[in-house]
Amino acid sequence: IKYIHFTNPKFLNGSELYYLRTQQAQEKMERSEKRLNERLRVCVATCNRADYSKLAPIMFGIKSHAEIFDLEVVVLGSHLIDDYGNTFRMIKQDEFDIHAKLHTIVRGEDEAAMVESVGLALVKLPDVLQRLAPDILLVHGDRFDALALATAAALMNIRILHLEGGEVSGTIDDSIRHAISKLAHYHAVCTRSAERHLISMCEDHSHIILAGCPSYDKLLSAHQRDDYTDIIKSWLGDDVKEQSYIVALQHPVTTDIQNSIKIYELMLDALISFNKRTLILFPNIDAGSKEMVRVMRRKGIEQHPNFRAVKHVPFDQFIQLVSHAGCMIGNSSCGVREAGAFGTPVINLGTRQTGRETGENVLHVRDADTHNKIYHALELQFGKRYPCSKIYGDGNAVQRILKFMQSIDLSEPLQKKFCFPPVKECISQDIDHILETQSALAVDLGGTNLRVAIVCMKGKVVKKYMQLNPKTFEERIELMLTMCKQAMADAVHLNCRILGVGVSTGGRVNPQDGIVLHSTKLINEWSSVDIRTPISSALHLPVWVDNDGNCATLAERKFGHGKGVENFVTIITGTGIGGGIIQHNELIHGSTFCAAELGHIVVSLEGPECMCGSHGCIEAYSSGLALQREAKRLHDEDLLLVEGMSVNNKEQVNATHLLNAARLGNSKAESILHTAGTALGLGIVNILHMINPSLVILSGVLAEHYENPVRQVISQRALLSAQGTKVMVSELEDPALLGAASMVLDYTTRRTY
């Protein structure tokens, strides 16, 4: 027998297959008989007066079938608040046992209070659900309290039956309703349209029942009570007759609170002008309700002879009041749903019910600047009667829902399945393949050369292009675009997908707008130049632009020694001296985009003149141009060359000759390099004392020559607390290109600059 259980049926012979099917049928019958002998524990959770009107008919149905169901009732939300009528009392009046009462509302009636209320409910619900251990939890609608219920039950592996999913309205309730639908295992919907919406949301069709609205069961059988005139008089006065009064009920729209308050105020003005007896209910507990109540009290509605302001009306009496009203106005779902069953004329205000299916009895006022539009709507609707609509039900919803619950197989796996539409089979991808192919175009606009490169996500330069940089702006832009277009064409053959363009350039840059505000003397004619627009327009790609020092720093953060370091500084030692600062993982630009002009830190009041016009800057001592100047001076004085050195007459003396001379023992050259290293070290000490980084990265062609002098100056001159700062030489070959690329590649991982 055990062998047959674990054998694939297609490998069985005829008698074995017959035995297997017979045994499976017997086991299914035994499970069904066991279910018949056990009552189904159904927990109904109600949060407010509105959802109780939908849940109460189901609760009565469950209670009337005590041999099949075991009813558990949980009360939470605004049911337990005095300002909203302590509506839990009507549950007791209906003679239901309340198994748990949870105070879950954080007062405040604003967005934060709604969020805190959800959190409080999530804290309190697990103990209750664990104690009650229901087989099924009934959740209604689209309220934030219901979202907490569905979340808790889903995480605790309790089956959820969601009522009224798949509907569409015009507020945050839409999002909440659909979120609950995705958490729920089963659905009881009111309309065919709602059923189609759930199916299009990939819900399992076999787990959806088109039942209708449960409240309609009571509406269609009870709205013609003989004592309706007594109910009208008790709420509105002895002199009020049917169809001579208005029922007003409007709630805040949490996604547009100010506009909903404005429409509420206009509605009150229109009702005052219309001069008919009006029963007005207080708004629900959503964010904005306090402001609406203040508007009501500022206009004296509670003392006005034409108005009766109430916090709650029992549902069976509310049915009579709506059924026999001359008009209903506001944005309650009752107006677009239940009122249609009586043919009561309705004026729906604002966007709260946008998308709801409505009968011809509903007149929409989407927006209003004055109360005249609402007043005109009252003139059109008041006193009319419309054909009764059964869009939301035929009076048999409860019967269908109870039968549907009985059919739920508790032995079925709890994990819900989504019925996704068929799609083409996707090709599996390898992470290394993705990292190699997602790439950026990097542009380095130097004083001499214009370089373009394709750089992949790992920081590898896939292909590089270089041309002499033209002198005029137009020629530079034209050459840059030509090189970028060539790179993009080559990227296709290299299997590289270009995500964007990063540009590294000298001078002061506004990276937010992609503008070079003014450049260095090495790149003339670049003042207030928009680089981003022409590149983006020509290539149809996003473009980032930044200073070359900042780009080198970004390269270190993504690919170099700065990876994972929260605070560090990069010093670029090349033709000039530049750098960048990373503080708390973010690049510092400064208020006028000139932060990290580290080359212009003054280390001597009497020092040599710098290209910036000042004296004694680090750049005047330690840059390649400064060393070239000193090399030329020594050469002019015949103090540069030593044994083993020569300079061609056609060759221009530069910093390399100075470095060679020092390496071969030229004391004058050694002294100049020592002074340059000391000046750079002093500047870095100032940086350590100002921003206290944990790492200093020396980058550029002169970096390795300055490493030891800088460390020595730090050990001698820095405060004790800063002497332990690490100093490292960059290992990146093309920091400007890599930094330009990192601006693009970091965007793809959602970093923000």
Side-chain angles (χ1 to χ4, degrees), residues 45-48 74-80 100 102 104 121 125 145 149:
T46 174
C47 311
N48 54 62
V74 175
V75 176
L76 65 158
S78 59
H79 270 310
L80 304 172
L102 299 178
T104 58
L125 279 168
D145 323 72
L149 283 162

Side-chain angles (χ1 to χ4, degrees), residues 550-559 582 587 739 742-743 753:
N550 288 336
C551 285
T553 305
L554 292 174
E556 293 293 341
R557 183 178 69 176
K558 188 167 184 66
F559 304 115
I582 296 291
L587 182 66
S742 76
M743 292 189 290
Y753 294 98

